Amino acid sequence: QKRQFLFYAAVVGVILIVAGLLGYSVVDAANRRYVMTAGGKRISLEEFKMVNVLFNLSDEKDETVEMVLYVHALEKKAKEHNVKLTSEELENINAYVKSLKEYFTSYGYSLPKLSDKRIRELMSVDVYMERISDIYTADFVFDEDEFAEALENFREMGKLDYITTDVKYLFTNTLEEAEEAHARMLAGEEVDDMIKEYSFYYNEEQGIDILTLADFYDFYIDYDLALEIMELSVGDISDVYLVYDGGDYMEYCIFIIEGISVMTEDELVEHSREQFTNAKKILMFAELLESWMLDLNPVINQKGYDAVW
């Protein structure tokens, strides 16, 4: 009997150990199914991944955490103010969700397993933001003295905005080709012919394109170079500029000035006033949004966070 008792005790012990391990596995698996809490709500692994996909965050976990808080803060305010989507907005979101699924499927991938309803809700926040921003910035007070200072700064630093310079452009990958095309244009050969012959951006279907100098700003040219080109007159041909240096891949560009238009003083002041007002409202709302996000008291679940990807 003693031997039998010991046998049963051993069996029970094993059962308890196995049950404990199974219980731990279930709890551990459950812990991996949510990434964080925000406003007391658990954010599932699937929702976290979907936010990353929808807002194109390139697998950046920290940025996705910020975006999750952004989404939930705006959802909360939308409910408080009873913000609703129009039928047209909902239709556009549905169409986007459908095209997103088709895009992923065409490459053999699938979206995170989240309901269509929740995906639509996540996609709605950008609409919410604009309306909620209008509500919370309605009491914005315009400061004339602050605007006067901003206007002077805009006159100096906003020339790409109030002076429109239309240009044709010729891009090559070698300095030799760029200098050859440049010399031929200065010698009187037709600009369009040179663009067709030398520019890798030219395609017959699109034809000769005309853009503004501002279209090239930041990616291809900095502000100082833009100001230098803006000193030219209509019909002038710029120098050859190295606009992209990728080591073993280069891009050289020549700009041809096609037109120049400058805002009148009244247009400049009105445009600046609008820009100033929008910038101040954006800053005002951004500060509010940041406080709402912090009010959600986010807590990271490390196991779930580590399991994201």
Side-chain angles (χ1 to χ4, degrees):
Q1 286 180 342
K2 184 179 179 181
R3 198 174 292 162
Q4 189 177 33
F5 171 77
L6 291 173
F7 172 76
Y8 284 123
V11 171
V12 170
V14 171
I15 290 172
L16 289 175
I17 291 171
V18 172
L21 289 173
L22 288 174
Y24 173 79
S25 297
V26 171
V27 170
D28 189 55
N31 284 339
R32 292 173 184 274
R33 298 314 298 171
Y34 80 98
V35 179
M36 59 187 287
T37 58
K41 296 179 181 178
R42 287 187 172 189
I43 309 303
S44 70
L45 183 63
E46 289 76 15
E47 177 166 326
F48 191 87
K49 287 183 175 182
M50 183 61 76
V51 168
N52 183 275
V53 169
L54 292 177
F55 295 96
N56 195 25
L57 299 177
S58 302
D59 293 347
E60 291 292 335
K61 288 185 184 180
D62 290 346
E63 289 183 18
T64 307
V65 168
E66 292 290 320
M67 190 56 69
V68 166
L69 295 177
Y70 163 87
V71 166
H72 281 260
L74 287 175
E75 282 188 312
K76 184 178 179 182
K77 289 300 174 183
K79 287 177 182 176
E80 288 178 13
H81 294 280
N82 197 30
V83 177
K84 302 290 185 185
L85 297 177
T86 65
S87 57
E88 182 179 355
E89 288 165 344
L90 187 57
E91 186 177 321
N92 289 338
I93 289 173
N94 285 333
Y96 178 80
V97 172
K98 181 182 177 183
S99 65
L100 188 66
K101 286 183 174 181
E102 290 173 349
Y103 175 80
F104 269 71
T105 301
S106 68
Y107 284 93
Y109 298 107
S110 59
L111 288 170
K113 294 179 181 178
L114 205 63
S115 70
D116 284 359
K117 178 177 181 294
R118 185 58 188 148
I119 297 174
R120 288 195 297 270
E121 289 170 350
L122 295 175
M123 288 297 301
S124 302
V125 294
D126 283 339
V127 179
Y128 294 158
M129 186 185 71
E130 185 175 345
R131 294 185 191 160
I132 295 167
S133 176
D134 288 343
I135 293 169
Y136 282 89
T137 60
D139 59 351
F140 168 73
V141 178
F142 193 90
D143 187 321
E144 290 289 352
D145 291 335
E146 192 177 1
F147 171 65
E149 183 179 343
L151 179 59
E152 291 311 305
N153 289 333
F154 184 70
R155 289 184 194 279
E156 182 59 33
M157 301 303 297
K159 290 182 180 179
L160 274 173
D161 215 6
Y162 67 84
I163 301 175
T164 302
T165 306
D166 296 321
V167 296
K168 290 180 181 178
Y169 50 93
L170 188 156
F171 274 80
T172 70
N173 291 125
T174 68
L175 179 59
E176 182 182 9
E177 284 185 316
E179 289 180 336
E180 184 178 296
H182 190 254
R184 291 175 66 181
M185 284 190 287
L186 291 179
E189 295 195 49
E190 288 293 329
V191 165
D192 287 4
D193 291 340
M194 296 301 96
I195 291 174
K196 291 175 184 178
E197 184 175 340
Y198 288 96
S199 184
F200 61 74
Y201 272 131
Y202 172 75
N203 72 72
E204 192 172 347
E205 201 171 304
Q206 181 178 324
I208 305 291
D209 201 11
I210 297 177
L211 298 175
T212 69
L213 202 57
D215 292 322
F216 298 89
Y217 175 62
D218 204 23
F219 186 79
Y220 278 119
I221 59 175
D222 60 22
Y223 192 67
D224 289 339
L225 180 54
L227 292 182
E228 179 183 321
I229 298 168
M230 289 168 70
E231 292 295 321
L232 299 174
S233 302
V234 174
D236 284 351
I237 298 166
S238 77
D239 292 334
V240 174
Y241 299 110
L242 173 63
V243 292
Y244 181 79
D245 184 350
D248 56 355
Y249 178 82
M250 307 288 207
E251 291 186 13
Y252 297 88
C253 184
I254 303 165
F255 295 100
I256 302 92
I257 311 303
E258 289 292 306
I260 300 171
S261 59
V262 183
M263 288 184 183
T264 66
E265 179 63 18
D266 287 345
E267 289 172 336
L268 172 60
V269 172
E270 183 61 30
H271 177 72
S272 301
R273 184 179 291 271
E274 183 180 336
Q275 295 284 87
F276 175 81
T277 300
N278 289 340
K280 296 297 287 186
K281 284 186 174 182
I282 288 171
L283 181 60
M284 179 180 176
F285 184 68
E287 291 173 351
L288 284 171
L289 182 56
E290 183 179 5
S291 70
W292 298 338
M293 289 164 66
L294 291 175
D295 287 344
L296 294 173
N297 298 314
V299 178
I300 297 295
N301 171 36
Q302 198 60 49
K303 286 187 176 179
Y305 186 79
D306 292 341
V308 172
W309 43 70

